[in-house]
Amino acid sequence: MKVNYTLQQSVKYQILTEAQCAEIAGAAYRILARTGCIVQNQKALTLLKEAGCVVDGEHVWIPETLTRWAVETAPKSITLYDREGNFAFRLDPNSFHFGPVTSTCDILDLRTGERRSSTKKDLEECAILLDALDNISWNSDICTLNDVDQTYADVEEVCTLLQNTRKPFWYFASSMENLEAQYEMFKAVAGGAETLRIRPFTINLVCPLDALRHSDHGVSQLIYCAERGLPVVYIPGTEFGLTSPATMAGTLAAGIADLLPAVVISQLVNKGAPIIAACFRNNVDFRTMKLNHSRPEMITANCATAEVWRYMGLPFCCNMANTGNGDFGPLSAFEKAIQYYSVMLSGINMCYGLGCYEEGMLLRPSDLIFANEVIGYLETLVKGFPVDQDTLAEDLIDEVGPGGTYLMEEHTMEHLYSFWTPDKLAPRKLGEGVSLEQDLAEAALAIIEKGPRHPLSPGKQQAIDALMEKVRARSKK
C-alpha cells in the first residue's frame, strides 16, 4: 500500500486561494446584510420577514446568519435523470457537463446555408440531433418558435422536447399559468408528482430582473418549483462596469450577492429544494456598448465564480460556449474551444451555449457536431491517465526487448481503443473533400433524418397531446 499517492491525476485550473474564496463569499453576505436587495413577490417578502429579515416595502436586508444557513441547507449535489427515469448525470464538485444554448432567434439553415427565423420544426430537429451526441449532457429550448402563438410558445417547446429527446432538458416559462401546464406534462411523462420529484429530468431556467432586484415573475417560479422539489437554475447577470463594479473581485461579490436571495427563499419554502447557482460575467465593449462573451476577463471571472460556489458548496452553471462572431471559422472555433477547456479545468458543473453565435442571436446547428467532438478531444487532455502495474507494462517491455515492436502484442490490442479518435476533425490535405462546415452540416442532417431515437410511448404521447390541446384552446378564449 502506498500513502499520499494518486493513481490518476487530472489537470486543473485554480485562480483563487481558499482564503480569497472566503473573502469574496463574506463580501456577498455583507452586501445583502448592509445594502440589501429588492424582492417584488409578496409571499417571499412574508417568508423573509418571518425569518428575521428587515423588510421595508420591497427592500429587504438579509442577515448573514440566515444566508449562511440557506447555503448550508441547500443540496451540495443534484442528480438528473432522463425522461424514462434512468440516471443521466450528477452535479457535484469538480464535475463538468455541457449543454446547448437557449432561445436563439435566428438559425442557419442546414440545408440551404441561409439565415432565417427559427421554427418549431427546427426545435424538433435540433432535439433529435442533441439526443444523439454523447458528449452533450442535456437538451434545451435551443431556438425560439417564431411560427407559434407566443402566448403558449414556451409550452409548445416543452411538448416538442418531450417528444424528441430522452435526455434531461431545461426550459423556461413565460407565465405561471404556462409553468403549471408544463408541470402537468412532466408529471404525465414521469408517472406522477412523486416520481418526478425523486427522479427529475427538467430544470427551470429562471432569470431575475436587474442587479439585486428579484421580480415577482422570477420569484413566483422559484417558489413553485421549490414547493415541488424541482431543480431551478437561477441566473442573474452582471456586466463589468454596468451592473457590477469594473473590478474582478467586486463583480464576483456583487454577482454572488445577487444570487443568494434565491437560495434563501428556496430553502425557506422547502429545506433541501434543489437550486443551481449561476452568475454570468459579461464584458462590455465600451467602444460599442455591446456585450462580448469571449474576452479573457469573462472566462477568468466565470472560472473564479465557480471556485467560490464550490467553496460554498453549491452546484454552478454558466454560459461558456459563446462567441460574438457569426461565421464558423478559426476565430469562433478558437474562442469556443478555449472556453470549453476552461470549463473542464475549473470544474464548472453546467456549461451552456453550444451552437451559439453572435452572443445568442444566431444558432448554427452544425456547431453542435463540432462541439461534441472538440469536447471529446479536450476531455482526453484533462482526465490524466492511470499509473499502475498494467499501464507501466515493465514485464512487456522486458519481453519485447530492445529494438522490438509492440504492434502485435495482446497488451497493445487491449489498450489501443482507449485513444481518442477524430471523426470530423480528422486531418485533411489542402483542397481535399468538402469544407469542414459542409461536412458538419451533412453529419447533422444524417442524424436528424433518422428521426427521434427514443419516441414517447403511445400512452404518454396521447397524454401530452391532450394537455397541449387544452393550452391551445385556452389561448383562443
Side-chain angles (χ1 to χ4, degrees), residues 398-456:
D398 184 50
E399 181 181 331
V400 172
T405 177
Y406 297 84
L407 183 60
M408 301 305 294
E409 296 296 327
E410 184 178 345
H411 184 273
T412 300
M413 295 299 105
E414 291 173 354
H415 291 274
L416 187 63
Y417 294 102
S418 63
F419 287 81
W420 180 81
T421 304
D423 181 14
K424 299 306 172 187
L425 300 186
R428 59 186 76 191
K429 296 185 183 298
L430 180 63
E432 180 182 11
V434 299
S435 68
L436 175 58
E437 186 172 13
Q438 184 178 342
D439 201 8
L440 294 170
E442 290 174 358
L445 282 171
I447 293 171
I448 289 167
E449 288 169 359
K450 292 179 181 177
R453 302 166 72 211
H454 308 103
L456 279 172

Short mmCIF file of all heavy atoms in Angstrom, two decimals, residues 398-456:
data_model
loop_
_atom_site.label_atom_id
_atom_site.label_comp_id
_atom_site.label_asym_id
_atom_site.label_seq_id
_atom_site.Cartn_x
_atom_site.Cartn_y
_atom_site.Cartn_z
N ASP A 398 10.22 -5.77 -21.05
CA ASP A 398 11.31 -6.74 -20.91
C ASP A 398 11.16 -7.86 -21.94
O ASP A 398 12.15 -8.32 -22.55
CB ASP A 398 11.29 -7.31 -19.49
CG ASP A 398 12.45 -8.26 -19.23
OD1 ASP A 398 13.60 -7.87 -19.52
OD2 ASP A 398 12.19 -9.39 -18.75
N GLU A 399 9.91 -8.28 -22.17
CA GLU A 399 9.65 -9.38 -23.12
C GLU A 399 9.93 -8.96 -24.56
O GLU A 399 10.55 -9.70 -25.33
CB GLU A 399 8.20 -9.82 -22.98
CG GLU A 399 7.80 -10.97 -23.91
CD GLU A 399 6.35 -11.33 -23.75
OE1 GLU A 399 5.79 -11.16 -22.64
OE2 GLU A 399 5.75 -11.79 -24.75
N VAL A 400 9.52 -7.77 -24.95
CA VAL A 400 9.75 -7.29 -26.31
C VAL A 400 11.22 -6.98 -26.53
O VAL A 400 11.80 -7.29 -27.58
CB VAL A 400 8.88 -6.06 -26.61
CG1 VAL A 400 9.27 -5.43 -27.95
CG2 VAL A 400 7.41 -6.45 -26.59
N GLY A 401 11.85 -6.37 -25.53
CA GLY A 401 13.29 -6.14 -25.59
C GLY A 401 13.68 -4.99 -26.50
O GLY A 401 12.85 -4.41 -27.22
N PRO A 402 14.97 -4.65 -26.50
CA PRO A 402 15.47 -3.55 -27.32
C PRO A 402 15.23 -3.78 -28.81
O PRO A 402 15.44 -4.89 -29.31
CB PRO A 402 16.98 -3.54 -27.01
CG PRO A 402 17.10 -4.20 -25.67
CD PRO A 402 16.03 -5.26 -25.66
N GLY A 403 14.76 -2.74 -29.49
CA GLY A 403 14.57 -2.82 -30.93
C GLY A 403 13.33 -3.57 -31.37
O GLY A 403 13.07 -3.70 -32.57
N GLY A 404 12.53 -4.07 -30.42
CA GLY A 404 11.35 -4.85 -30.76
C GLY A 404 10.15 -3.97 -31.08
O GLY A 404 10.19 -2.75 -30.95
N THR A 405 9.05 -4.59 -31.50
CA THR A 405 7.82 -3.85 -31.81
C THR A 405 6.66 -4.37 -30.97
O THR A 405 6.60 -5.57 -30.64
CB THR A 405 7.46 -3.96 -33.30
OG1 THR A 405 6.21 -3.28 -33.52
CG2 THR A 405 7.30 -5.41 -33.73
N TYR A 406 5.77 -3.48 -30.63
CA TYR A 406 4.62 -3.81 -29.78
C TYR A 406 3.34 -3.98 -30.59
O TYR A 406 2.27 -4.19 -30.03
CB TYR A 406 4.42 -2.70 -28.72
CG TYR A 406 5.59 -2.57 -27.78
CD1 TYR A 406 6.70 -1.82 -28.13
CD2 TYR A 406 5.59 -3.21 -26.55
CE1 TYR A 406 7.78 -1.69 -27.28
CE2 TYR A 406 6.66 -3.10 -25.68
CZ TYR A 406 7.76 -2.33 -26.05
OH TYR A 406 8.83 -2.23 -25.20
N LEU A 407 3.44 -3.91 -31.92
CA LEU A 407 2.26 -3.85 -32.77
C LEU A 407 1.35 -5.05 -32.60
O LEU A 407 0.12 -4.91 -32.55
CB LEU A 407 2.68 -3.70 -34.23
CG LEU A 407 1.54 -3.55 -35.24
CD1 LEU A 407 0.70 -2.32 -34.93
CD2 LEU A 407 2.09 -3.47 -36.66
N MET A 408 1.90 -6.25 -32.49
CA MET A 408 1.09 -7.46 -32.45
C MET A 408 0.88 -8.01 -31.04
O MET A 408 0.33 -9.09 -30.88
CB MET A 408 1.74 -8.54 -33.33
CG MET A 408 1.93 -8.15 -34.78
SD MET A 408 0.37 -7.63 -35.55
CE MET A 408 -0.55 -9.17 -35.51
N GLU A 409 1.29 -7.26 -30.04
CA GLU A 409 1.14 -7.72 -28.66
C GLU A 409 -0.31 -7.60 -28.19
O GLU A 409 -1.02 -6.64 -28.55
CB GLU A 409 2.05 -6.91 -27.73
CG GLU A 409 3.53 -7.07 -28.00
CD GLU A 409 4.00 -8.50 -27.75
OE1 GLU A 409 3.46 -9.16 -26.83
OE2 GLU A 409 4.93 -8.94 -28.46
N GLU A 410 -0.76 -8.56 -27.41
CA GLU A 410 -2.13 -8.53 -26.89
C GLU A 410 -2.36 -7.29 -26.03
O GLU A 410 -3.45 -6.70 -26.05
CB GLU A 410 -2.38 -9.80 -26.06
CG GLU A 410 -3.80 -9.91 -25.54
CD GLU A 410 -4.04 -11.20 -24.77
OE1 GLU A 410 -3.21 -12.13 -24.87
OE2 GLU A 410 -5.06 -11.26 -24.06
N HIS A 411 -1.35 -6.87 -25.28
CA HIS A 411 -1.45 -5.68 -24.44
C HIS A 411 -1.79 -4.45 -25.30
O HIS A 411 -2.61 -3.60 -24.91
CB HIS A 411 -0.13 -5.47 -23.70
CG HIS A 411 -0.14 -4.33 -22.73
ND1 HIS A 411 0.15 -3.03 -23.10
CD2 HIS A 411 -0.40 -4.29 -21.39
CE1 HIS A 411 0.06 -2.24 -22.04
NE2 HIS A 411 -0.27 -2.98 -20.98
N THR A 412 -1.20 -4.37 -26.49
CA THR A 412 -1.49 -3.26 -27.41
C THR A 412 -2.94 -3.31 -27.85
O THR A 412 -3.63 -2.28 -27.89
CB THR A 412 -0.56 -3.33 -28.62
OG1 THR A 412 0.79 -3.24 -28.18
CG2 THR A 412 -0.85 -2.18 -29.59
N MET A 413 -3.43 -4.49 -28.19
CA MET A 413 -4.82 -4.62 -28.62
C MET A 413 -5.79 -4.23 -27.50
O MET A 413 -6.84 -3.64 -27.75
CB MET A 413 -5.10 -6.06 -29.06
CG MET A 413 -4.32 -6.50 -30.30
SD MET A 413 -4.69 -5.50 -31.77
CE MET A 413 -3.20 -4.48 -31.87
N GLU A 414 -5.42 -4.56 -26.26
CA GLU A 414 -6.29 -4.24 -25.12
C GLU A 414 -6.40 -2.74 -24.88
O GLU A 414 -7.43 -2.25 -24.42
CB GLU A 414 -5.76 -4.93 -23.86
CG GLU A 414 -5.90 -6.44 -23.88
CD GLU A 414 -5.21 -7.09 -22.69
OE1 GLU A 414 -4.53 -6.36 -21.93
OE2 GLU A 414 -5.35 -8.31 -22.52
N HIS A 415 -5.34 -2.00 -25.20
CA HIS A 415 -5.31 -0.57 -24.88
C HIS A 415 -5.46 0.34 -26.09
O HIS A 415 -5.64 1.55 -25.93
CB HIS A 415 -4.00 -0.22 -24.14
CG HIS A 415 -3.92 -0.80 -22.77
ND1 HIS A 415 -4.44 -0.17 -21.67
CD2 HIS A 415 -3.39 -1.98 -22.33
CE1 HIS A 415 -4.23 -0.92 -20.59
NE2 HIS A 415 -3.60 -2.03 -20.97
N LEU A 416 -5.43 -0.22 -27.27
CA LEU A 416 -5.44 0.59 -28.48
C LEU A 416 -6.68 1.47 -28.58
O LEU A 416 -6.61 2.64 -29.00
CB LEU A 416 -5.37 -0.33 -29.70
CG LEU A 416 -5.21 0.33 -31.07
CD1 LEU A 416 -3.90 1.09 -31.13
CD2 LEU A 416 -5.27 -0.70 -32.18
N TYR A 417 -7.83 0.94 -28.18
CA TYR A 417 -9.08 1.68 -28.36
C TYR A 417 -9.35 2.68 -27.23
O TYR A 417 -10.41 3.31 -27.20
CB TYR A 417 -10.24 0.69 -28.50
CG TYR A 417 -10.13 -0.12 -29.77
CD1 TYR A 417 -9.66 -1.43 -29.73
CD2 TYR A 417 -10.43 0.44 -31.00
CE1 TYR A 417 -9.52 -2.18 -30.90
CE2 TYR A 417 -10.30 -0.30 -32.18
CZ TYR A 417 -9.85 -1.60 -32.12
OH TYR A 417 -9.71 -2.33 -33.28
N SER A 418 -8.40 2.85 -26.32
CA SER A 418 -8.54 3.88 -25.30
C SER A 418 -8.10 5.24 -25.83
O SER A 418 -8.32 6.27 -25.18
CB SER A 418 -7.71 3.52 -24.06
OG SER A 418 -6.33 3.47 -24.38
N PHE A 419 -7.47 5.26 -27.01
CA PHE A 419 -7.04 6.52 -27.60
C PHE A 419 -8.23 7.25 -28.23
O PHE A 419 -9.12 6.62 -28.81
CB PHE A 419 -5.98 6.28 -28.68
CG PHE A 419 -4.64 5.90 -28.14
CD1 PHE A 419 -4.36 4.59 -27.75
CD2 PHE A 419 -3.64 6.85 -28.01
CE1 PHE A 419 -3.13 4.23 -27.24
CE2 PHE A 419 -2.39 6.51 -27.50
CZ PHE A 419 -2.14 5.19 -27.11
N TRP A 420 -8.22 8.57 -28.11
CA TRP A 420 -9.25 9.38 -28.75
C TRP A 420 -9.07 9.31 -30.27
O TRP A 420 -7.94 9.40 -30.78
CB TRP A 420 -9.16 10.83 -28.29
CG TRP A 420 -10.18 11.72 -28.92
CD1 TRP A 420 -11.48 11.87 -28.54
CD2 TRP A 420 -10.00 12.58 -30.06
NE1 TRP A 420 -12.13 12.77 -29.37
CE2 TRP A 420 -11.24 13.21 -30.31
CE3 TRP A 420 -8.92 12.87 -30.89
CZ2 TRP A 420 -11.43 14.13 -31.34
CZ3 TRP A 420 -9.10 13.77 -31.93
CH2 TRP A 420 -10.34 14.39 -32.15
N THR A 421 -10.16 9.14 -30.97
CA THR A 421 -10.10 9.02 -32.43
C THR A 421 -10.95 10.12 -33.07
O THR A 421 -12.14 10.23 -32.78
CB THR A 421 -10.62 7.65 -32.89
OG1 THR A 421 -9.88 6.62 -32.24
CG2 THR A 421 -10.47 7.49 -34.40
N PRO A 422 -10.36 10.95 -33.94
CA PRO A 422 -11.15 12.01 -34.58
C PRO A 422 -12.11 11.45 -35.62
O PRO A 422 -11.87 10.40 -36.22
CB PRO A 422 -10.08 12.88 -35.24
CG PRO A 422 -8.95 11.94 -35.52
CD PRO A 422 -8.97 10.94 -34.39
N ASP A 423 -13.20 12.17 -35.81
CA ASP A 423 -14.14 11.84 -36.87
C ASP A 423 -14.16 13.00 -37.86
O ASP A 423 -13.41 13.00 -38.84
CB ASP A 423 -15.52 11.57 -36.28
CG ASP A 423 -16.55 11.19 -37.34
OD1 ASP A 423 -16.15 10.87 -38.47
OD2 ASP A 423 -17.75 11.21 -37.03
N LYS A 424 -14.95 14.01 -37.58
CA LYS A 424 -14.99 15.17 -38.47
C LYS A 424 -13.74 16.03 -38.34
O LYS A 424 -13.46 16.86 -39.22
CB LYS A 424 -16.24 16.01 -38.17
CG LYS A 424 -17.54 15.26 -38.39
CD LYS A 424 -17.61 14.65 -39.78
CE LYS A 424 -18.80 13.74 -39.96
NZ LYS A 424 -18.76 13.02 -41.25
N LEU A 425 -13.00 15.88 -37.27
CA LEU A 425 -11.79 16.67 -37.07
C LEU A 425 -10.53 15.95 -37.54
O LEU A 425 -9.42 16.36 -37.22
CB LEU A 425 -11.65 17.06 -35.60
CG LEU A 425 -12.79 17.90 -35.00
CD1 LEU A 425 -12.46 18.32 -33.59
CD2 LEU A 425 -13.09 19.11 -35.87
N ALA A 426 -10.70 14.87 -38.30
CA ALA A 426 -9.54 14.17 -38.85
C ALA A 426 -8.79 15.09 -39.83
O ALA A 426 -9.43 15.86 -40.56
CB ALA A 426 -9.99 12.91 -39.57
N PRO A 427 -7.47 15.05 -39.85
CA PRO A 427 -6.69 15.92 -40.74
C PRO A 427 -7.06 15.69 -42.21
O PRO A 427 -7.40 14.58 -42.62
CB PRO A 427 -5.24 15.50 -40.48
CG PRO A 427 -5.27 14.85 -39.14
CD PRO A 427 -6.60 14.19 -39.02
N ARG A 428 -7.01 16.74 -42.98
CA ARG A 428 -7.27 16.65 -44.41
C ARG A 428 -6.29 17.57 -45.14
O ARG A 428 -5.91 18.62 -44.63
CB ARG A 428 -8.72 17.01 -44.74
CG ARG A 428 -9.13 18.40 -44.31
CD ARG A 428 -10.62 18.63 -44.54
NE ARG A 428 -11.42 17.96 -43.52
CZ ARG A 428 -12.74 17.83 -43.59
NH1 ARG A 428 -13.40 18.31 -44.62
NH2 ARG A 428 -13.41 17.22 -42.64
N LYS A 429 -5.88 17.18 -46.32
CA LYS A 429 -4.94 17.95 -47.10
C LYS A 429 -5.63 19.14 -47.76
O LYS A 429 -6.86 19.17 -47.89
CB LYS A 429 -4.27 17.07 -48.15
CG LYS A 429 -3.42 15.95 -47.58
CD LYS A 429 -2.68 15.19 -48.66
CE LYS A 429 -1.89 14.03 -48.07
NZ LYS A 429 -0.86 14.50 -47.13
N LEU A 430 -4.85 20.13 -48.18
CA LEU A 430 -5.38 21.32 -48.80
C LEU A 430 -6.25 20.97 -50.00
O LEU A 430 -5.82 20.25 -50.91
CB LEU A 430 -4.23 22.23 -49.25
CG LEU A 430 -4.63 23.54 -49.93
CD1 LEU A 430 -5.40 24.44 -48.97
CD2 LEU A 430 -3.39 24.27 -50.46
N GLY A 431 -7.51 21.43 -49.97
CA GLY A 431 -8.42 21.19 -51.08
C GLY A 431 -9.05 19.82 -51.11
O GLY A 431 -9.82 19.50 -52.03
N GLU A 432 -8.77 19.01 -50.11
CA GLU A 432 -9.30 17.63 -50.09
C GLU A 432 -10.73 17.61 -49.53
O GLU A 432 -11.00 18.08 -48.43
CB GLU A 432 -8.41 16.75 -49.22
CG GLU A 432 -8.86 15.30 -49.13
CD GLU A 432 -7.97 14.46 -48.22
OE1 GLU A 432 -7.14 15.05 -47.50
OE2 GLU A 432 -8.12 13.24 -48.22
N GLY A 433 -11.65 17.05 -50.30
CA GLY A 433 -13.03 16.88 -49.84
C GLY A 433 -13.76 18.19 -49.70
O GLY A 433 -13.32 19.27 -50.09
N VAL A 434 -14.94 18.11 -49.06
CA VAL A 434 -15.76 19.30 -48.83
C VAL A 434 -15.19 20.07 -47.64
O VAL A 434 -14.36 19.57 -46.89
CB VAL A 434 -17.23 18.92 -48.57
CG1 VAL A 434 -17.81 18.19 -49.77
CG2 VAL A 434 -17.37 18.07 -47.30
N SER A 435 -15.67 21.29 -47.44
CA SER A 435 -15.22 22.08 -46.30
C SER A 435 -15.68 21.44 -44.99
O SER A 435 -16.65 20.66 -44.97
CB SER A 435 -15.78 23.50 -46.39
OG SER A 435 -17.18 23.49 -46.21
N LEU A 436 -15.00 21.76 -43.91
CA LEU A 436 -15.39 21.23 -42.60
C LEU A 436 -16.81 21.65 -42.26
O LEU A 436 -17.60 20.83 -41.75
CB LEU A 436 -14.42 21.73 -41.53
CG LEU A 436 -14.76 21.35 -40.08
CD1 LEU A 436 -14.86 19.84 -39.91
CD2 LEU A 436 -13.74 21.94 -39.11
N GLU A 437 -17.17 22.87 -42.55
CA GLU A 437 -18.52 23.36 -42.24
C GLU A 437 -19.57 22.53 -42.98
O GLU A 437 -20.59 22.15 -42.40
CB GLU A 437 -18.63 24.83 -42.61
CG GLU A 437 -19.95 25.45 -42.18
CD GLU A 437 -19.98 26.95 -42.39
OE1 GLU A 437 -19.09 27.47 -43.08
OE2 GLU A 437 -20.91 27.59 -41.86
N GLN A 438 -19.34 22.24 -44.24
CA GLN A 438 -20.29 21.43 -45.00
C GLN A 438 -20.33 20.01 -44.49
O GLN A 438 -21.40 19.39 -44.40
CB GLN A 438 -19.92 21.43 -46.49
CG GLN A 438 -20.93 20.68 -47.36
CD GLN A 438 -20.59 20.72 -48.84
OE1 GLN A 438 -19.80 21.57 -49.28
NE2 GLN A 438 -21.16 19.81 -49.62
N ASP A 439 -19.18 19.48 -44.13
CA ASP A 439 -19.11 18.12 -43.58
C ASP A 439 -19.91 18.02 -42.29
O ASP A 439 -20.64 17.04 -42.05
CB ASP A 439 -17.64 17.76 -43.34
CG ASP A 439 -17.41 16.25 -43.27
OD1 ASP A 439 -18.36 15.49 -43.56
OD2 ASP A 439 -16.29 15.85 -42.94
N LEU A 440 -19.79 19.04 -41.44
CA LEU A 440 -20.53 19.06 -40.17
C LEU A 440 -22.03 19.14 -40.42
O LEU A 440 -22.82 18.46 -39.76
CB LEU A 440 -20.08 20.24 -39.32
CG LEU A 440 -18.64 20.22 -38.81
CD1 LEU A 440 -18.28 21.56 -38.20
CD2 LEU A 440 -18.43 19.11 -37.79
N ALA A 441 -22.44 19.97 -41.38
CA ALA A 441 -23.85 20.11 -41.70
C ALA A 441 -24.43 18.80 -42.22
O ALA A 441 -25.54 18.40 -41.84
CB ALA A 441 -24.05 21.23 -42.72
N GLU A 442 -23.69 18.11 -43.08
CA GLU A 442 -24.16 16.84 -43.62
C GLU A 442 -24.27 15.79 -42.52
O GLU A 442 -25.21 14.97 -42.52
CB GLU A 442 -23.21 16.37 -44.72
CG GLU A 442 -23.29 17.22 -45.98
CD GLU A 442 -22.24 16.85 -47.02
OE1 GLU A 442 -21.43 15.95 -46.74
OE2 GLU A 442 -22.25 17.46 -48.11
N ALA A 443 -23.32 15.80 -41.58
CA ALA A 443 -23.38 14.85 -40.46
C ALA A 443 -24.59 15.12 -39.58
O ALA A 443 -25.27 14.18 -39.12
CB ALA A 443 -22.10 14.95 -39.63
N ALA A 444 -24.90 16.40 -39.36
CA ALA A 444 -26.07 16.75 -38.55
C ALA A 444 -27.36 16.30 -39.24
O ALA A 444 -28.25 15.73 -38.60
CB ALA A 444 -26.10 18.26 -38.31
N LEU A 445 -27.45 16.54 -40.53
CA LEU A 445 -28.65 16.14 -41.28
C LEU A 445 -28.83 14.63 -41.29
O LEU A 445 -29.96 14.13 -41.22
CB LEU A 445 -28.57 16.67 -42.71
CG LEU A 445 -28.90 18.15 -42.90
CD1 LEU A 445 -28.58 18.60 -44.32
CD2 LEU A 445 -30.37 18.42 -42.57
N ALA A 446 -27.73 13.89 -41.37
CA ALA A 446 -27.82 12.43 -41.37
C ALA A 446 -28.45 11.91 -40.08
O ALA A 446 -29.23 10.95 -40.09
CB ALA A 446 -26.43 11.82 -41.56
N ILE A 447 -28.14 12.55 -38.98
CA ILE A 447 -28.73 12.17 -37.69
C ILE A 447 -30.20 12.57 -37.63
O ILE A 447 -31.07 11.79 -37.23
CB ILE A 447 -27.95 12.82 -36.53
CG1 ILE A 447 -26.53 12.24 -36.44
CG2 ILE A 447 -28.68 12.62 -35.20
CD1 ILE A 447 -25.63 12.96 -35.47
N ILE A 448 -30.47 13.80 -38.04
CA ILE A 448 -31.84 14.33 -37.98
C ILE A 448 -32.81 13.50 -38.82
O ILE A 448 -33.94 13.21 -38.40
CB ILE A 448 -31.84 15.80 -38.44
CG1 ILE A 448 -31.17 16.68 -37.39
CG2 ILE A 448 -33.26 16.29 -38.73
CD1 ILE A 448 -30.84 18.09 -37.87
N GLU A 449 -32.37 13.10 -40.00
CA GLU A 449 -33.26 12.41 -40.93
C GLU A 449 -33.62 11.00 -40.47
O GLU A 449 -34.56 10.39 -41.01
CB GLU A 449 -32.64 12.40 -42.32
CG GLU A 449 -32.69 13.80 -42.96
CD GLU A 449 -31.86 13.92 -44.22
OE1 GLU A 449 -31.21 12.91 -44.61
OE2 GLU A 449 -31.83 15.02 -44.81
N LYS A 450 -32.94 10.48 -39.47
CA LYS A 450 -33.32 9.18 -38.89
C LYS A 450 -34.50 9.30 -37.95
O LYS A 450 -35.12 8.31 -37.58
CB LYS A 450 -32.13 8.57 -38.15
CG LYS A 450 -30.97 8.15 -39.05
CD LYS A 450 -29.83 7.58 -38.23
CE LYS A 450 -28.65 7.18 -39.13
NZ LYS A 450 -27.49 6.69 -38.34
N GLY A 451 -34.82 10.55 -37.54
CA GLY A 451 -35.96 10.76 -36.65
C GLY A 451 -35.60 10.52 -35.20
O GLY A 451 -34.47 10.18 -34.86
N PRO A 452 -36.57 10.70 -34.30
CA PRO A 452 -36.32 10.52 -32.86
C PRO A 452 -35.80 9.11 -32.55
O PRO A 452 -36.35 8.12 -33.03
CB PRO A 452 -37.69 10.75 -32.23
CG PRO A 452 -38.44 11.56 -33.23
CD PRO A 452 -37.95 11.11 -34.57
N ARG A 453 -34.77 9.05 -31.75
CA ARG A 453 -34.20 7.75 -31.36
C ARG A 453 -35.05 7.08 -30.28
O ARG A 453 -35.06 5.86 -30.17
CB ARG A 453 -32.78 7.94 -30.84
CG ARG A 453 -31.83 8.58 -31.83
CD ARG A 453 -30.55 9.04 -31.15
NE ARG A 453 -29.70 7.92 -30.78
CZ ARG A 453 -28.89 7.91 -29.73
NH1 ARG A 453 -28.86 8.95 -28.91
NH2 ARG A 453 -28.11 6.87 -29.48
N HIS A 454 -35.72 7.89 -29.47
CA HIS A 454 -36.48 7.36 -28.33
C HIS A 454 -37.85 8.02 -28.29
O HIS A 454 -38.09 8.90 -27.45
CB HIS A 454 -35.73 7.61 -27.02
CG HIS A 454 -34.31 7.14 -27.03
ND1 HIS A 454 -33.23 8.00 -27.17
CD2 HIS A 454 -33.79 5.89 -26.97
CE1 HIS A 454 -32.12 7.32 -27.15
NE2 HIS A 454 -32.41 6.04 -27.03
N PRO A 455 -38.76 7.66 -29.18
CA PRO A 455 -40.10 8.27 -29.17
C PRO A 455 -40.86 7.94 -27.89
O PRO A 455 -40.62 6.91 -27.24
CB PRO A 455 -40.77 7.66 -30.40
CG PRO A 455 -40.02 6.39 -30.66
CD PRO A 455 -38.61 6.63 -30.23
N LEU A 456 -41.77 8.82 -27.53
CA LEU A 456 -42.63 8.57 -26.38
C LEU A 456 -43.51 7.34 -26.61
O LEU A 456 -43.87 7.03 -27.75
CB LEU A 456 -43.53 9.77 -26.13
CG LEU A 456 -42.95 10.97 -25.38
CD1 LEU A 456 -43.94 12.11 -25.43
CD2 LEU A 456 -42.60 10.63 -23.94
#
